Amino acid sequence: MSQHPAPADQAPWTQFDEYLWHTCEIVADVVQGQLDRRPLVATVAPLPPGDRALVTGPAQSFKWMALGDGSYHHTQIAAAGSSAFVIGSLLGNAAGNSSRRAAAARDAQPRWVAGDPGEVTVSRMGAFIIHPVKPADSVLLYWSGLRSIDLVAPDVFHTHLVTTDGAQVAMRIATPWASLMFALAALTRFPTHPRLLERGWLPPGFEQRSAALGRPCRPATDLVLGGGGT
């Protein structure tokens, strides 16, 4: 953390700024082929051969999906007794069917569905959120398999991918390492992405502000991987 007081016209250095500063350091090491100088990071993620964990941190995944297919159980009743009882029973059953139909229609509308909060491991080749109880709910993102990427917020990584069974999935990962995920994915899979080349993976003015606060970022202006970048 910087010991330099913030100038009067600058916001103070935050924990999120620290994540962004380390992101710049890692990206510079990747581009300059100097990852070997970085310390090893412990992780439970099943990394591919030759890969290495770079950071871990809090994360939550979101999938664009519907919770149902619009179907619901329609009930029919046969009521006997007084007219008031029969009418009341039929009205109650109709209301129940209407409520179930409306709920089914709502569930059929896609929306962002949150997964359980967890820890993400960001590596040179991907990002992994391992669910400790439900392995099927783990998130395994390999940069080479992504179809598109973006940052919809400074701390939200957005991507489209196709699963091994051919399903198309839209996913977001909310994490303070979102900018690092974007930069690494772009370097691997989308090396001419405008946000990579224009350093749009950092908030506007971050590099200037970090320099003014005594935490200058290492330059990585030539965002083209060299032979030692892996």
Side-chain angles (χ1 to χ4, degrees):
M1 191 71 66
S2 174
Q3 300 301 314
H4 298 272
D9 60 344
Q10 294 281 359
W13 192 260
T14 67
Q15 185 62 42
F16 186 60
D17 290 327
E18 194 74 8
Y19 280 101
L20 293 173
W21 186 85
H22 282 288
T23 289
C24 294
E25 288 286 294
I26 294 171
V27 171
D29 281 341
V30 169
V31 172
Q32 296 166 10
Q34 297 179 342
L35 279 183
D36 287 344
R37 77 184 190 91
R38 303 196 66 82
L40 294 177
V41 175
T43 178
V44 299
L47 301 181
D51 197 7
R52 62 177 296 168
L54 299 176
V55 295
T56 61
Q60 185 168 23
S61 64
F62 298 82
K63 287 185 178 180
W64 183 255
M65 59 185 294
L67 299 177
D69 59 4
S71 62
Y72 69 100
H73 180 63
H74 182 89
T75 62
Q76 293 180 329
I77 65 170
S82 67
S83 298
F85 174 78
V86 171
I87 292 173
S89 297
L90 294 176
L91 288 175
N93 184 64
N97 283 329
S98 177
S99 177
R100 286 188 290 273
R101 182 170 60 251
R106 288 194 300 270
D107 287 345
Q109 298 299 314
R111 82 286 304 269
W112 289 109
V113 178
D116 292 335
E119 180 181 81
V120 65
T121 296
V122 182
S123 77
R124 181 64 191 89
M125 298 184 185
F128 313 94
I129 305 175
I130 306 304
H131 198 289
V133 179
K134 297 180 288 185
D137 289 343
S138 296
V139 175
L140 306 178
L141 295 180
Y142 298 95
W143 308 139
S144 60
L146 304 184
R147 295 298 183 91
S148 67
I149 59 171
D150 203 353
L151 279 174
V152 295
D155 59 350
V156 181
F157 174 77
H158 177 92
T159 187
H160 284 83
L161 63 147
V162 177
T163 64
T164 54
D165 58 1
Q168 297 192 25
V169 176
M171 179 174 290
R172 290 179 176 178
I173 307 294
T175 174
W177 290 118
S179 286
L180 177 61
M181 291 174 60
F182 177 87
L184 294 176
L187 286 168
T188 302
R189 183 79 168 94
F190 310 93
T192 58
H193 196 295
R195 294 192 74 152
L196 176 69
L197 300 181
E198 298 170 7
R199 299 184 73 81
W201 44 276
L202 293 172
F206 174 77
E207 291 169 294
Q208 293 79 7
R209 192 168 73 86
S210 64
L213 294 175
R215 297 296 303 275
C217 298
R218 285 173 55 203
T221 54
D222 185 15
L223 294 178
V224 178
L225 289 180
T230 57

